[in-house]
Amino acid sequence: MRRLKPDIYAIGAIDWDARLFDRLIPLPDGTSYNSYLVRGSEKTALLDTVDPTKTDDLLSNIVGVGADKIDYIVAHHAEQDHSGSLPEVLLIYPDAKVVTNPKCKQMLIDLLGIEDGKFITVEDGQELSLGEKTLRFVYTPWVHWPETMSTYVPEENILFSCDFFGAHLATSSLFVDDEAAVYESAKRYYAEIMMPFRKQINSNIAKLEKLDIRMIAPSHGPVYKQPEFIVDAYKDWISDTVKNEVVVGYVSMHGSTAKMVSHFVEALIERGITVTQFELATVDTGKLAMALVDAATIILGSPTVLIGPHPSAAYAAFLTNALRPKAKFASVIGSYGWAGKTVEQLTGLMPNLKAEFLKPVLAKGEPKEADFLALERLADEILAKHKGSGLVN
Ligand code: FEO
């Protein structure tokens, strides 16, 4: 039995073997689908369900904590890793009402075919008494869908935040015990899922700071007994501050772009700039996304294929555009055989990137002395830009 507080239990599922979320996001450390049971003196509430593949775990955990009834099922978020078991739970607990906001209600009807009559809709700030415990619903939109909300239990000062502050991490520890591991997983989670919503996260944190929160229980990963650990990390990640870092994502077919990247990365390191280099055909996109959280500059390296960028570089540009990192500078390096529009096509894939595009460096065939000098000039320019932005002492 995993107990957070008297009569508050974690009854979700640990998915040790999951390796890809949404057929997109790598899960090197698995994940968990956290569901919580809050038992008041009069009513019992289930907060979120689990991924449909883990429904049996949830159902047996409900029985395991001795819950003989469920009055309310709070749905914080309609995505199926938290709502997918809802139809089956409602079959077994037919008197339970689904408590959620109007947007989430409509999504649950659309995605899962839940009947209209099953719902109780709640407004932002509305409370629902369970007896001596209270559920206060706090709208926290766009973390990471428009309908996302959280629940605060004022008697215990716990915030149930769903995806917000989550970490894709399978662990037997109910609470954070290895801060470094959780920080890594939470940053990966932020980078892949939350980064496009920095502005909305800022508003949501300001709203939550009005509450006296002493524990945060997210829907993925362990529970935070020190909420400031994850809240401060989020504040750092969403801030407009960038670091003296360059992300270099590249792909090379016959070695020309690889030689350029090698020379360029060495030049950046010589200038005291932190570099993270990724080979884009084999990259763990989560690692790439994490590097994009803080970097001041993004460089894509690509050969020319059928007059455009290599598809792996195009994918990285597309992903970067979707994640909307706060980088201030960007450029392209690479090679071509006879002609091409690699630079135009790559930059065209990143309209959301509010960065200054620096002069690209393209080599015709094998890079030659003039190309290496151009790469060193680009490294000089990046250093000057970073200095001008106050990133280098
Ligand atoms: Fe964990 Fe957006 O679902």
Side-chain angles (χ1 to χ4, degrees), residues 21 77 79 81-82 144-145 162-163 168 189 193 219-220:
F21 189 82
H77 177 27
E79 192 166 10
D81 53 324
H82 310 293
H144 59 121
W145 281 12
C162 201
D163 279 349
H168 279 315
Y189 190 89
I193 293 169
S219 62
H220 298 286

Side-chain angles (χ1 to χ4, degrees), residues 53-375:
T53 58
K54 296 290 180 185
T55 303
D56 289 349
D57 290 18
L58 174 64
L59 293 174
S60 79
N61 289 342
I62 293 173
V63 173
V65 295
D68 54 359
K69 62 164 188 154
I70 291 176
D71 300 290
Y72 306 116
I73 305 171
V74 176
H76 292 119
H77 177 27
E79 192 166 10
Q80 289 89 334
D81 53 324
H82 310 293
S83 67
S85 299
L86 200 44
E88 201 159 336
V89 174
L90 284 171
L91 279 179
I92 293 167
Y93 298 93
D95 296 330
K97 290 288 185 188
V98 179
V99 179
T100 192
N101 61 67
K103 270 188 192 157
C104 191
K105 170 186 170 181
Q106 190 56 52
M107 286 184 168
L108 292 170
I109 291 171
D110 293 341
L111 292 170
L112 298 167
I114 309 288
E115 290 170 31
D116 191 284
K118 287 284 184 189
F119 290 94
I120 296 173
T121 55
V122 290
E123 298 298 319
D124 188 19
Q126 192 172 329
E127 293 189 341
L128 181 64
S129 174
L130 304 180
E132 91 294 9
K133 288 190 178 62
T134 308
L135 305 182
R136 185 185 302 164
F137 306 104
V138 185
Y139 283 18
T140 43
W142 291 108
V143 287
H144 59 121
W145 281 12
E147 89 297 7
T148 46
M149 70 174 197
S150 303
T151 295
Y152 180 61
V153 177
E155 294 84 359
E156 301 289 353
N157 305 95
I158 302 180
L159 182 80
F160 296 92
S161 59
C162 201
D163 279 349
F164 199 12
F165 305 123
H168 279 315
L169 179 64
T171 170
S172 58
S173 301
L174 174 58
F175 298 103
V176 173
D177 58 359
D178 180 345
E179 286 198 343
V182 175
Y183 184 91
E184 176 90 1
S185 293
K187 187 172 185 180
R188 176 185 275 266
Y189 190 89
Y190 165 82
E192 293 166 324
I193 293 169
M194 298 290 175
M195 187 154 59
F197 307 107
R198 287 196 301 128
K199 297 278 180 286
Q200 292 91 336
I201 289 170
N202 194 33
S203 306
N204 282 323
I205 287 179
K207 187 175 183 179
L208 293 176
E209 285 191 324
K210 295 185 180 126
L211 304 172
D212 181 12
I213 297 168
R214 296 180 205 167
M215 184 181 287
I216 293 179
S219 62
H220 298 286
V223 174
Y224 303 93
K225 276 185 178 171
Q226 270 97 36
E228 62 278 9
F229 165 73
I230 191 65
V231 173
D232 288 349
Y234 261 69
K235 283 182 179 174
D236 178 35
W237 300 332
I238 65 170
S239 74
D240 289 331
T241 309
V242 290
K243 297 186 175 147
N244 182 27
E245 295 176 11
V246 177
V247 172
V248 180
Y250 84 101
V251 58
S252 188
M253 292 162 70
H254 300 293
S256 293
T257 300
K259 279 182 194 161
M260 296 176 73
V261 165
S262 177
H263 191 87
F264 178 60
V265 165
E266 191 58 39
L268 291 170
I269 293 170
E270 278 173 7
R271 286 158 179 78
I273 297 170
T274 301
V275 183
T276 41
Q277 177 181 321
F278 298 98
E279 200 285 310
L280 294 172
T282 55
V283 68
D284 169 347
T285 50
K287 286 264 188 200
L288 174 62
M290 284 169 76
L292 293 175
V293 170
D294 301 314
T297 299
I298 300 168
I299 303 292
L300 290 178
S302 178
T304 300
V305 184
L306 300 173
I307 77 157
H310 188 287
S312 295
Y315 177 68
F318 184 86
L319 190 67
T320 299
N321 185 64
L323 293 176
R324 298 170 180 253
K326 57 193 178 189
K328 294 184 182 305
F329 312 102
S331 192
V332 172
I333 64 176
S335 58
Y336 64 99
W338 50 96
K341 299 218 174 279
T342 294
V343 172
E344 294 89 327
Q345 290 189 11
L346 281 179
T347 53
L349 284 167
M350 298 187 283
N352 292 337
L353 200 61
K354 304 301 178 205
E356 177 185 349
F357 278 88
L358 309 178
K359 191 177 176 206
V361 179
L362 289 187
K364 188 167 191 292
E366 281 263 300
K368 302 167 186 70
E369 194 54 34
D371 303 309
F372 291 127
L373 288 173
L375 289 166

